[in-house]
Amino acid sequence: MKINIKYIDNHKKCCNINEKNGVTYITFPKLERYEDELLHAFSTRLGGVSKEHLSAMNLSFTRGDLPENVMENHRRFAACLGYDEKRLVFSDQVHKTDFYKVTEEDCGKGIVKESDIKEIDGLVTNVKNVPIITFYADCVPLMFYDPLHKVIAMAHSGWKGTVGRIGAKMVAFMGTEYGSKPEDIICAIAPSICQDCYEVSEDVAIQFIEEFKGAYVEHSIDDTSKDPTEMLHNNDIQALNGIDDNTISSMSDLIYRKDNGKYQLNLHKACELVLLEAGVLKEHIDITDICTCCNHDFLFSHRASHGKRGNNAAVMMLK
């Protein structure tokens, strides 16, 4: 089957599209270097048995799908990648920044037995042969691997988690719990909604500008003729604790204002800034070049489907 992918402008080769036994999935080069130590993948819509708006590889039990279809999708995805789907450990994502340390005793929670893992947006483990899974349909999947301490982690970074710096909190958590150092961690920012597709309201925009203004204070302005009020109303600027107009203008790669009073937000860029400021090296980060909303026939997108959709999933496991 030929796949026509619309890539984000100025993209680089940051992820690979793979197919095995009819199942199509996405992997990342920087994590692939450690394929003898871990498996990782981000699912697509291709290769499952679910029907209609859930077609075909819906991996979530919470979207109104038939349980037997979801189980078959998991069986196919697991067989393709090489893990036991009955040992999966599910997250319980609520747009917070709390994490859970997964152990052998957690295997099967969420898929074959009831789970007590509640209100958790990040999973982390150093136990081999324990697959962990998180779910998405526009929010940003963050994947982490510390090859020195053999620790994997994933975090679900929607706009609330991103402005709450969930990526940095996961880096710190890995350090506290396992001794990981930021400069050793390999990261992937997996497929999610792009800036062109992600319109947000003014109250959300102001939170991001306040949170990330420090990253832009030293940036030079490429286009000094740009009117900073293209990004914010004058009243909004006054509300931002004296942040100068040039700094606001320089943030257009993160967020910019449109004529309708709404804003376009770049979650990929925000997550990258969070990881860099946490000490992760730029050369250790793969940033997605595929948007879920632009490619809603290939990946589930909440915004493109107006909420009528299944869920993509990110999976990691130490070998």
Side-chain angles (χ1 to χ4, degrees), residues 259-296:
D259 290 340
N260 66 358
K262 300 288 187 177
Y263 300 77
Q264 296 300 127
L265 174 62
N266 189 338
L267 284 177
H268 303 149
K269 184 65 176 179
C271 286
E272 180 190 20
L273 289 171
V274 166
L275 293 174
L276 291 173
E277 291 181 7
V280 178
L281 303 180
K282 189 175 183 66
E283 58 267 29
H284 286 174
I285 304 173
D286 270 335
I287 304 174
T288 188
D289 48 12
I290 299 177
C291 167
T292 47
C293 190
C294 290
N295 299 283
H296 54 85

PDB file of all heavy atoms in Angstrom, residues 259-296:
ATOM      1  N   ASP A 259      -5.137  37.124  12.531  1.00  0.00           N
ATOM      2  CA  ASP A 259      -6.075  38.238  12.476  1.00  0.00           C
ATOM      3  C   ASP A 259      -7.371  37.955  13.233  1.00  0.00           C
ATOM      4  O   ASP A 259      -8.069  38.884  13.646  1.00  0.00           O
ATOM      5  CB  ASP A 259      -6.407  38.572  11.014  1.00  0.00           C
ATOM      6  CG  ASP A 259      -5.227  39.188  10.269  1.00  0.00           C
ATOM      7  OD1 ASP A 259      -4.315  39.702  10.956  1.00  0.00           O
ATOM      8  OD2 ASP A 259      -5.217  39.133   9.029  1.00  0.00           O
ATOM      9  N   ASN A 260      -7.708  36.688  13.398  1.00  0.00           N
ATOM     10  CA  ASN A 260      -8.956  36.349  14.089  1.00  0.00           C
ATOM     11  C   ASN A 260      -8.823  36.366  15.610  1.00  0.00           C
ATOM     12  O   ASN A 260      -9.759  36.005  16.324  1.00  0.00           O
ATOM     13  CB  ASN A 260      -9.469  34.983  13.628  1.00  0.00           C
ATOM     14  CG  ASN A 260      -8.549  33.831  14.024  1.00  0.00           C
ATOM     15  OD1 ASN A 260      -7.493  34.043  14.614  1.00  0.00           O
ATOM     16  ND2 ASN A 260      -8.953  32.616  13.677  1.00  0.00           N
ATOM     17  N   GLY A 261      -7.656  36.766  16.106  1.00  0.00           N
ATOM     18  CA  GLY A 261      -7.446  36.833  17.546  1.00  0.00           C
ATOM     19  C   GLY A 261      -7.013  35.524  18.169  1.00  0.00           C
ATOM     20  O   GLY A 261      -6.765  35.459  19.371  1.00  0.00           O
ATOM     21  N   LYS A 262      -6.930  34.475  17.357  1.00  0.00           N
ATOM     22  CA  LYS A 262      -6.429  33.186  17.829  1.00  0.00           C
ATOM     23  C   LYS A 262      -4.924  33.090  17.569  1.00  0.00           C
ATOM     24  O   LYS A 262      -4.329  33.953  16.916  1.00  0.00           O
ATOM     25  CB  LYS A 262      -7.148  32.036  17.109  1.00  0.00           C
ATOM     26  CG  LYS A 262      -8.653  32.012  17.325  1.00  0.00           C
ATOM     27  CD  LYS A 262      -9.016  31.589  18.730  1.00  0.00           C
ATOM     28  CE  LYS A 262     -10.513  31.411  18.872  1.00  0.00           C
ATOM     29  NZ  LYS A 262     -10.914  30.934  20.211  1.00  0.00           N
ATOM     30  N   TYR A 263      -4.320  32.016  18.061  1.00  0.00           N
ATOM     31  CA  TYR A 263      -2.878  31.838  17.991  1.00  0.00           C
ATOM     32  C   TYR A 263      -2.539  30.457  17.459  1.00  0.00           C
ATOM     33  O   TYR A 263      -3.302  29.504  17.657  1.00  0.00           O
ATOM     34  CB  TYR A 263      -2.248  32.023  19.376  1.00  0.00           C
ATOM     35  CG  TYR A 263      -2.496  33.387  19.964  1.00  0.00           C
ATOM     36  CD1 TYR A 263      -3.741  33.702  20.512  1.00  0.00           C
ATOM     37  CD2 TYR A 263      -1.513  34.364  19.954  1.00  0.00           C
ATOM     38  CE1 TYR A 263      -3.991  34.952  21.040  1.00  0.00           C
ATOM     39  CE2 TYR A 263      -1.758  35.613  20.483  1.00  0.00           C
ATOM     40  CZ  TYR A 263      -2.987  35.909  21.017  1.00  0.00           C
ATOM     41  OH  TYR A 263      -3.240  37.156  21.532  1.00  0.00           O
ATOM     42  N   GLN A 264      -1.414  30.347  16.787  1.00  0.00           N
ATOM     43  CA  GLN A 264      -0.910  29.052  16.312  1.00  0.00           C
ATOM     44  C   GLN A 264       0.279  28.667  17.184  1.00  0.00           C
ATOM     45  O   GLN A 264       1.279  29.386  17.242  1.00  0.00           O
ATOM     46  CB  GLN A 264      -0.503  29.132  14.847  1.00  0.00           C
ATOM     47  CG  GLN A 264      -1.643  29.434  13.882  1.00  0.00           C
ATOM     48  CD  GLN A 264      -2.752  28.421  13.894  1.00  0.00           C
ATOM     49  OE1 GLN A 264      -3.919  28.774  14.051  1.00  0.00           O
ATOM     50  NE2 GLN A 264      -2.413  27.148  13.741  1.00  0.00           N
ATOM     51  N   LEU A 265       0.166  27.513  17.843  1.00  0.00           N
ATOM     52  CA  LEU A 265       1.147  27.065  18.827  1.00  0.00           C
ATOM     53  C   LEU A 265       1.938  25.875  18.302  1.00  0.00           C
ATOM     54  O   LEU A 265       1.374  24.936  17.753  1.00  0.00           O
ATOM     55  CB  LEU A 265       0.429  26.677  20.123  1.00  0.00           C
ATOM     56  CG  LEU A 265       1.267  26.057  21.237  1.00  0.00           C
ATOM     57  CD1 LEU A 265       2.341  27.024  21.713  1.00  0.00           C
ATOM     58  CD2 LEU A 265       0.363  25.646  22.402  1.00  0.00           C
ATOM     59  N   ASN A 266       3.241  25.917  18.489  1.00  0.00           N
ATOM     60  CA  ASN A 266       4.147  24.849  18.065  1.00  0.00           C
ATOM     61  C   ASN A 266       4.537  24.011  19.282  1.00  0.00           C
ATOM     62  O   ASN A 266       5.494  24.317  19.987  1.00  0.00           O
ATOM     63  CB  ASN A 266       5.388  25.455  17.402  1.00  0.00           C
ATOM     64  CG  ASN A 266       6.265  24.414  16.738  1.00  0.00           C
ATOM     65  OD1 ASN A 266       6.207  23.232  17.072  1.00  0.00           O
ATOM     66  ND2 ASN A 266       7.091  24.859  15.804  1.00  0.00           N
ATOM     67  N   LEU A 267       3.781  22.941  19.519  1.00  0.00           N
ATOM     68  CA  LEU A 267       4.073  22.075  20.656  1.00  0.00           C
ATOM     69  C   LEU A 267       5.404  21.358  20.487  1.00  0.00           C
ATOM     70  O   LEU A 267       6.099  21.091  21.470  1.00  0.00           O
ATOM     71  CB  LEU A 267       2.946  21.055  20.851  1.00  0.00           C
ATOM     72  CG  LEU A 267       1.657  21.558  21.482  1.00  0.00           C
ATOM     73  CD1 LEU A 267       0.627  20.437  21.525  1.00  0.00           C
ATOM     74  CD2 LEU A 267       1.895  22.116  22.882  1.00  0.00           C
ATOM     75  N   HIS A 268       5.762  21.007  19.241  1.00  0.00           N
ATOM     76  CA  HIS A 268       7.048  20.343  19.002  1.00  0.00           C
ATOM     77  C   HIS A 268       8.198  21.220  19.484  1.00  0.00           C
ATOM     78  O   HIS A 268       9.118  20.752  20.163  1.00  0.00           O
ATOM     79  CB  HIS A 268       7.229  20.030  17.513  1.00  0.00           C
ATOM     80  CG  HIS A 268       6.145  19.197  16.931  1.00  0.00           C
ATOM     81  ND1 HIS A 268       5.759  19.300  15.618  1.00  0.00           N
ATOM     82  CD2 HIS A 268       5.364  18.248  17.478  1.00  0.00           C
ATOM     83  CE1 HIS A 268       4.788  18.440  15.389  1.00  0.00           C
ATOM     84  NE2 HIS A 268       4.525  17.785  16.502  1.00  0.00           N
ATOM     85  N   LYS A 269       8.146  22.510  19.122  1.00  0.00           N
ATOM     86  CA  LYS A 269       9.194  23.442  19.525  1.00  0.00           C
ATOM     87  C   LYS A 269       9.213  23.615  21.039  1.00  0.00           C
ATOM     88  O   LYS A 269      10.289  23.649  21.660  1.00  0.00           O
ATOM     89  CB  LYS A 269       8.985  24.798  18.843  1.00  0.00           C
ATOM     90  CG  LYS A 269      10.081  25.818  19.128  1.00  0.00           C
ATOM     91  CD  LYS A 269      11.403  25.366  18.546  1.00  0.00           C
ATOM     92  CE  LYS A 269      12.488  26.398  18.735  1.00  0.00           C
ATOM     93  NZ  LYS A 269      13.779  25.935  18.171  1.00  0.00           N
ATOM     94  N   ALA A 270       8.031  23.734  21.627  1.00  0.00           N
ATOM     95  CA  ALA A 270       7.964  23.905  23.077  1.00  0.00           C
ATOM     96  C   ALA A 270       8.566  22.702  23.796  1.00  0.00           C
ATOM     97  O   ALA A 270       9.321  22.861  24.764  1.00  0.00           O
ATOM     98  CB  ALA A 270       6.510  24.115  23.512  1.00  0.00           C
ATOM     99  N   CYS A 271       8.254  21.499  23.320  1.00  0.00           N
ATOM    100  CA  CYS A 271       8.812  20.296  23.955  1.00  0.00           C
ATOM    101  C   CYS A 271      10.326  20.245  23.778  1.00  0.00           C
ATOM    102  O   CYS A 271      11.051  19.835  24.698  1.00  0.00           O
ATOM    103  CB  CYS A 271       8.167  19.049  23.362  1.00  0.00           C
ATOM    104  SG  CYS A 271       6.461  18.781  23.913  1.00  0.00           S
ATOM    105  N   GLU A 272      10.813  20.651  22.611  1.00  0.00           N
ATOM    106  CA  GLU A 272      12.256  20.692  22.402  1.00  0.00           C
ATOM    107  C   GLU A 272      12.915  21.654  23.385  1.00  0.00           C
ATOM    108  O   GLU A 272      13.937  21.331  24.001  1.00  0.00           O
ATOM    109  CB  GLU A 272      12.581  21.110  20.968  1.00  0.00           C
ATOM    110  CG  GLU A 272      14.083  21.178  20.696  1.00  0.00           C
ATOM    111  CD  GLU A 272      14.425  21.831  19.363  1.00  0.00           C
ATOM    112  OE1 GLU A 272      13.572  22.565  18.823  1.00  0.00           O
ATOM    113  OE2 GLU A 272      15.548  21.618  18.879  1.00  0.00           O
ATOM    114  N   LEU A 273      12.339  22.841  23.553  1.00  0.00           N
ATOM    115  CA  LEU A 273      12.887  23.820  24.488  1.00  0.00           C
ATOM    116  C   LEU A 273      12.904  23.260  25.912  1.00  0.00           C
ATOM    117  O   LEU A 273      13.878  23.441  26.651  1.00  0.00           O
ATOM    118  CB  LEU A 273      12.065  25.109  24.445  1.00  0.00           C
ATOM    119  CG  LEU A 273      12.205  25.968  23.190  1.00  0.00           C
ATOM    120  CD1 LEU A 273      11.169  27.078  23.196  1.00  0.00           C
ATOM    121  CD2 LEU A 273      13.606  26.535  23.069  1.00  0.00           C
ATOM    122  N   VAL A 274      11.842  22.577  26.294  1.00  0.00           N
ATOM    123  CA  VAL A 274      11.766  21.988  27.626  1.00  0.00           C
ATOM    124  C   VAL A 274      12.896  20.986  27.840  1.00  0.00           C
ATOM    125  O   VAL A 274      13.581  20.993  28.880  1.00  0.00           O
ATOM    126  CB  VAL A 274      10.400  21.312  27.831  1.00  0.00           C
ATOM    127  CG1 VAL A 274      10.418  20.406  29.061  1.00  0.00           C
ATOM    128  CG2 VAL A 274       9.299  22.357  27.985  1.00  0.00           C
ATOM    129  N   LEU A 275      13.122  20.125  26.848  1.00  0.00           N
ATOM    130  CA  LEU A 275      14.164  19.104  26.975  1.00  0.00           C
ATOM    131  C   LEU A 275      15.559  19.733  26.992  1.00  0.00           C
ATOM    132  O   LEU A 275      16.421  19.347  27.789  1.00  0.00           O
ATOM    133  CB  LEU A 275      14.050  18.100  25.832  1.00  0.00           C
ATOM    134  CG  LEU A 275      12.792  17.230  25.844  1.00  0.00           C
ATOM    135  CD1 LEU A 275      12.721  16.383  24.577  1.00  0.00           C
ATOM    136  CD2 LEU A 275      12.739  16.346  27.084  1.00  0.00           C
ATOM    137  N   LEU A 276      15.793  20.710  26.117  1.00  0.00           N
ATOM    138  CA  LEU A 276      17.096  21.370  26.072  1.00  0.00           C
ATOM    139  C   LEU A 276      17.397  22.092  27.379  1.00  0.00           C
ATOM    140  O   LEU A 276      18.513  22.013  27.904  1.00  0.00           O
ATOM    141  CB  LEU A 276      17.147  22.354  24.904  1.00  0.00           C
ATOM    142  CG  LEU A 276      17.146  21.750  23.495  1.00  0.00           C
ATOM    143  CD1 LEU A 276      17.033  22.852  22.445  1.00  0.00           C
ATOM    144  CD2 LEU A 276      18.391  20.911  23.259  1.00  0.00           C
ATOM    145  N   GLU A 277      16.411  22.795  27.912  1.00  0.00           N
ATOM    146  CA  GLU A 277      16.623  23.515  29.161  1.00  0.00           C
ATOM    147  C   GLU A 277      16.785  22.564  30.337  1.00  0.00           C
ATOM    148  O   GLU A 277      17.355  22.937  31.372  1.00  0.00           O
ATOM    149  CB  GLU A 277      15.471  24.491  29.399  1.00  0.00           C
ATOM    150  CG  GLU A 277      15.469  25.651  28.396  1.00  0.00           C
ATOM    151  CD  GLU A 277      14.349  26.638  28.621  1.00  0.00           C
ATOM    152  OE1 GLU A 277      13.631  26.513  29.629  1.00  0.00           O
ATOM    153  OE2 GLU A 277      14.179  27.536  27.782  1.00  0.00           O
ATOM    154  N   ALA A 278      16.308  21.320  30.169  1.00  0.00           N
ATOM    155  CA  ALA A 278      16.506  20.311  31.213  1.00  0.00           C
ATOM    156  C   ALA A 278      17.882  19.670  31.135  1.00  0.00           C
ATOM    157  O   ALA A 278      18.248  18.876  32.008  1.00  0.00           O
ATOM    158  CB  ALA A 278      15.434  19.235  31.108  1.00  0.00           C
ATOM    159  N   GLY A 279      18.649  19.989  30.075  1.00  0.00           N
ATOM    160  CA  GLY A 279      20.001  19.473  29.949  1.00  0.00           C
ATOM    161  C   GLY A 279      20.189  18.376  28.926  1.00  0.00           C
ATOM    162  O   GLY A 279      21.308  17.870  28.744  1.00  0.00           O
ATOM    163  N   VAL A 280      19.106  17.980  28.224  1.00  0.00           N
ATOM    164  CA  VAL A 280      19.243  16.993  27.155  1.00  0.00           C
ATOM    165  C   VAL A 280      19.976  17.657  25.986  1.00  0.00           C
ATOM    166  O   VAL A 280      19.712  18.815  25.649  1.00  0.00           O
ATOM    167  CB  VAL A 280      17.864  16.477  26.701  1.00  0.00           C
ATOM    168  CG1 VAL A 280      18.013  15.478  25.548  1.00  0.00           C
ATOM    169  CG2 VAL A 280      17.124  15.831  27.867  1.00  0.00           C
ATOM    170  N   LEU A 281      20.912  16.942  25.381  1.00  0.00           N
ATOM    171  CA  LEU A 281      21.692  17.497  24.274  1.00  0.00           C
ATOM    172  C   LEU A 281      20.867  17.540  22.996  1.00  0.00           C
ATOM    173  O   LEU A 281      20.116  16.609  22.699  1.00  0.00           O
ATOM    174  CB  LEU A 281      22.953  16.656  24.057  1.00  0.00           C
ATOM    175  CG  LEU A 281      23.895  16.506  25.254  1.00  0.00           C
ATOM    176  CD1 LEU A 281      25.089  15.642  24.891  1.00  0.00           C
ATOM    177  CD2 LEU A 281      24.332  17.865  25.778  1.00  0.00           C
ATOM    178  N   LYS A 282      21.039  18.625  22.223  1.00  0.00           N
ATOM    179  CA  LYS A 282      20.280  18.783  20.986  1.00  0.00           C
ATOM    180  C   LYS A 282      20.514  17.615  20.038  1.00  0.00           C
ATOM    181  O   LYS A 282      19.580  17.148  19.368  1.00  0.00           O
ATOM    182  CB  LYS A 282      20.664  20.097  20.304  1.00  0.00           C
ATOM    183  CG  LYS A 282      19.777  20.464  19.115  1.00  0.00           C
ATOM    184  CD  LYS A 282      20.131  21.820  18.569  1.00  0.00           C
ATOM    185  CE  LYS A 282      19.195  22.230  17.431  1.00  0.00           C
ATOM    186  NZ  LYS A 282      17.803  22.437  17.885  1.00  0.00           N
ATOM    187  N   GLU A 283      21.762  17.118  20.001  1.00  0.00           N
ATOM    188  CA  GLU A 283      22.075  16.014  19.103  1.00  0.00           C
ATOM    189  C   GLU A 283      21.503  14.681  19.586  1.00  0.00           C
ATOM    190  O   GLU A 283      21.597  13.667  18.876  1.00  0.00           O
ATOM    191  CB  GLU A 283      23.587  15.880  18.923  1.00  0.00           C
ATOM    192  CG  GLU A 283      24.385  15.655  20.186  1.00  0.00           C
ATOM    193  CD  GLU A 283      24.902  16.947  20.812  1.00  0.00           C
ATOM    194  OE1 GLU A 283      24.248  18.005  20.638  1.00  0.00           O
ATOM    195  OE2 GLU A 283      25.960  16.897  21.477  1.00  0.00           O
ATOM    196  N   HIS A 284      20.880  14.685  20.756  1.00  0.00           N
ATOM    197  CA  HIS A 284      20.250  13.473  21.293  1.00  0.00           C
ATOM    198  C   HIS A 284      18.729  13.496  21.144  1.00  0.00           C
ATOM    199  O   HIS A 284      18.040  12.654  21.721  1.00  0.00           O
ATOM    200  CB  HIS A 284      20.605  13.281  22.763  1.00  0.00           C
ATOM    201  CG  HIS A 284      22.001  12.822  22.990  1.00  0.00           C
ATOM    202  ND1 HIS A 284      22.562  12.709  24.258  1.00  0.00           N
ATOM    203  CD2 HIS A 284      22.972  12.438  22.115  1.00  0.00           C
ATOM    204  CE1 HIS A 284      23.808  12.279  24.144  1.00  0.00           C
ATOM    205  NE2 HIS A 284      24.070  12.111  22.859  1.00  0.00           N
ATOM    206  N   ILE A 285      18.194  14.454  20.371  1.00  0.00           N
ATOM    207  CA  ILE A 285      16.740  14.592  20.238  1.00  0.00           C
ATOM    208  C   ILE A 285      16.329  14.421  18.777  1.00  0.00           C
ATOM    209  O   ILE A 285      16.823  15.134  17.897  1.00  0.00           O
ATOM    210  CB  ILE A 285      16.258  15.968  20.737  1.00  0.00           C
ATOM    211  CG1 ILE A 285      16.703  16.221  22.175  1.00  0.00           C
ATOM    212  CG2 ILE A 285      14.727  16.048  20.631  1.00  0.00           C
ATOM    213  CD1 ILE A 285      16.390  17.630  22.672  1.00  0.00           C
ATOM    214  N   ASP A 286      15.425  13.490  18.521  1.00  0.00           N
ATOM    215  CA  ASP A 286      14.745  13.384  17.229  1.00  0.00           C
ATOM    216  C   ASP A 286      13.402  14.086  17.354  1.00  0.00           C
ATOM    217  O   ASP A 286      12.615  13.776  18.260  1.00  0.00           O
ATOM    218  CB  ASP A 286      14.516  11.922  16.837  1.00  0.00           C
ATOM    219  CG  ASP A 286      15.659  11.343  16.033  1.00  0.00           C
ATOM    220  OD1 ASP A 286      16.375  12.129  15.373  1.00  0.00           O
ATOM    221  OD2 ASP A 286      15.847  10.116  16.053  1.00  0.00           O
ATOM    222  N   ILE A 287      13.132  15.031  16.450  1.00  0.00           N
ATOM    223  CA  ILE A 287      11.873  15.779  16.474  1.00  0.00           C
ATOM    224  C   ILE A 287      11.042  15.369  15.272  1.00  0.00           C
ATOM    225  O   ILE A 287      11.521  15.388  14.136  1.00  0.00           O
ATOM    226  CB  ILE A 287      12.128  17.291  16.446  1.00  0.00           C
ATOM    227  CG1 ILE A 287      13.039  17.696  17.602  1.00  0.00           C
ATOM    228  CG2 ILE A 287      10.800  18.053  16.521  1.00  0.00           C
ATOM    229  CD1 ILE A 287      13.460  19.147  17.555  1.00  0.00           C
ATOM    230  N   THR A 288       9.799  14.997  15.504  1.00  0.00           N
ATOM    231  CA  THR A 288       8.941  14.485  14.449  1.00  0.00           C
ATOM    232  C   THR A 288       8.850  15.417  13.246  1.00  0.00           C
ATOM    233  O   THR A 288       8.913  16.641  13.376  1.00  0.00           O
ATOM    234  CB  THR A 288       7.533  14.216  14.990  1.00  0.00           C
ATOM    235  OG1 THR A 288       6.775  13.543  13.994  1.00  0.00           O
ATOM    236  CG2 THR A 288       6.830  15.502  15.357  1.00  0.00           C
ATOM    237  N   ASP A 289       8.717  14.831  12.071  1.00  0.00           N
ATOM    238  CA  ASP A 289       8.440  15.605  10.868  1.00  0.00           C
ATOM    239  C   ASP A 289       7.081  15.233  10.292  1.00  0.00           C
ATOM    240  O   ASP A 289       6.783  15.528   9.142  1.00  0.00           O
ATOM    241  CB  ASP A 289       9.544  15.403   9.822  1.00  0.00           C
ATOM    242  CG  ASP A 289       9.881  13.941   9.606  1.00  0.00           C
ATOM    243  OD1 ASP A 289       9.118  13.084  10.090  1.00  0.00           O
ATOM    244  OD2 ASP A 289      10.894  13.643   8.960  1.00  0.00           O
ATOM    245  N   ILE A 290       6.230  14.598  11.097  1.00  0.00           N
ATOM    246  CA  ILE A 290       4.903  14.174  10.652  1.00  0.00           C
ATOM    247  C   ILE A 290       3.856  14.729  11.609  1.00  0.00           C
ATOM    248  O   ILE A 290       3.949  14.552  12.823  1.00  0.00           O
ATOM    249  CB  ILE A 290       4.792  12.643  10.581  1.00  0.00           C
ATOM    250  CG1 ILE A 290       5.802  12.081   9.590  1.00  0.00           C
ATOM    251  CG2 ILE A 290       3.372  12.228  10.187  1.00  0.00           C
ATOM    252  CD1 ILE A 290       5.810  10.572   9.512  1.00  0.00           C
ATOM    253  N   CYS A 291       2.845  15.377  11.063  1.00  0.00           N
ATOM    254  CA  CYS A 291       1.741  15.940  11.846  1.00  0.00           C
ATOM    255  C   CYS A 291       0.554  14.976  11.813  1.00  0.00           C
ATOM    256  O   CYS A 291       0.158  14.494  10.747  1.00  0.00           O
ATOM    257  CB  CYS A 291       1.344  17.292  11.273  1.00  0.00           C
ATOM    258  SG  CYS A 291      -0.231  17.948  11.901  1.00  0.00           S
ATOM    259  N   THR A 292      -0.042  14.714  12.974  1.00  0.00           N
ATOM    260  CA  THR A 292      -1.205  13.841  13.045  1.00  0.00           C
ATOM    261  C   THR A 292      -2.413  14.443  12.327  1.00  0.00           C
ATOM    262  O   THR A 292      -3.146  13.734  11.634  1.00  0.00           O
ATOM    263  CB  THR A 292      -1.573  13.572  14.513  1.00  0.00           C
ATOM    264  OG1 THR A 292      -1.585  14.803  15.240  1.00  0.00           O
ATOM    265  CG2 THR A 292      -0.567  12.634  15.161  1.00  0.00           C
ATOM    266  N   CYS A 293      -2.607  15.737  12.461  1.00  0.00           N
ATOM    267  CA  CYS A 293      -3.776  16.388  11.867  1.00  0.00           C
ATOM    268  C   CYS A 293      -3.651  16.477  10.343  1.00  0.00           C
ATOM    269  O   CYS A 293      -4.624  16.246   9.618  1.00  0.00           O
ATOM    270  CB  CYS A 293      -3.948  17.775  12.472  1.00  0.00           C
ATOM    271  SG  CYS A 293      -5.511  18.575  12.057  1.00  0.00           S
ATOM    272  N   CYS A 294      -2.468  16.800   9.843  1.00  0.00           N
ATOM    273  CA  CYS A 294      -2.247  16.864   8.392  1.00  0.00           C
ATOM    274  C   CYS A 294      -2.403  15.495   7.739  1.00  0.00           C
ATOM    275  O   CYS A 294      -2.708  15.400   6.549  1.00  0.00           O
ATOM    276  CB  CYS A 294      -0.839  17.380   8.085  1.00  0.00           C
ATOM    277  SG  CYS A 294      -0.545  19.108   8.466  1.00  0.00           S
ATOM    278  N   ASN A 295      -2.157  14.435   8.518  1.00  0.00           N
ATOM    279  CA  ASN A 295      -2.152  13.064   7.999  1.00  0.00           C
ATOM    280  C   ASN A 295      -3.184  12.212   8.722  1.00  0.00           C
ATOM    281  O   ASN A 295      -2.898  11.105   9.168  1.00  0.00           O
ATOM    282  CB  ASN A 295      -0.750  12.468   8.153  1.00  0.00           C
ATOM    283  CG  ASN A 295       0.302  13.233   7.379  1.00  0.00           C
ATOM    284  OD1 ASN A 295       0.408  13.112   6.173  1.00  0.00           O
ATOM    285  ND2 ASN A 295       1.077  14.035   8.085  1.00  0.00           N
ATOM    286  N   HIS A 296      -4.426  12.718   8.816  1.00  0.00           N
ATOM    287  CA  HIS A 296      -5.434  12.049   9.644  1.00  0.00           C
ATOM    288  C   HIS A 296      -5.943  10.745   9.040  1.00  0.00           C
ATOM    289  O   HIS A 296      -6.630   9.982   9.728  1.00  0.00           O
ATOM    290  CB  HIS A 296      -6.611  12.996   9.928  1.00  0.00           C
ATOM    291  CG  HIS A 296      -7.229  13.598   8.707  1.00  0.00           C
ATOM    292  ND1 HIS A 296      -8.202  12.966   7.977  1.00  0.00           N
ATOM    293  CD2 HIS A 296      -6.980  14.782   8.091  1.00  0.00           C
ATOM    294  CE1 HIS A 296      -8.551  13.739   6.958  1.00  0.00           C
ATOM    295  NE2 HIS A 296      -7.826  14.846   7.000  1.00  0.00           N
TER     296      HIS A 296
END
